[in-house]
Amino acid sequence: MAPFGMLLQGLVIIAGYILLVFSLREPPLFVITCTLMAAGAIRLDAAGRKLRTIGNFTFIPSVYLACEVADLLAKGADPTTYASLVLAPLPYMAASLMMAIFVAGLGHLIQHRQDDISIVRHFACIASSTDFGAPSENGTTVIAVLVAVALMASLVEWQEPGSGQWAIWSAVSVAAAEVGTNHRKFSNRACWL
């Protein structure tokens, strides 16, 4: 990804985190929000298979951090400090994002030592390449993810296990565009149990 694309992805991660953490106050809203975000992340690979990774690594940090903050809040945090606990990670998220953009930009400058116009063009585009891979027909995968994440998020909200985010993002990350791969992954996990 080009620096501008990294910035957009970082802002979506932050927005997803805020949306999820505030939706955690109402379990049905969290389940719906989490499910729709996961399906959207998976649906990206309809435009190219390489975008699936970007979708995963946008949804997963959002849900992971939201659940971690929710665990802190569940341990008896004062409700008046809810907003401050939720907002506390934002400066660190922003700093990490800026550092990643800086390092990526510096790497590009060192590798390509081009004229000023091409450097500005690189920083202003979303991706370094327009090759996102072959588009996939992933409608069945999106439906599978909708069901899996809805079930996992509901289970997490109902049972409140520690580190429930692992169950939620695992439901997303193991889904594949090819139905045969999904069956094989399911069989492997069923045999393991």
Side-chain angles (χ1 to χ4, degrees), residues 34-45 55 142 145-146:
C34 197
T35 301
L36 292 176
M37 284 179 65
I42 297 305
R43 188 65 184 142
L44 281 177
D45 85 358
V142 171
V145 166
L146 281 167

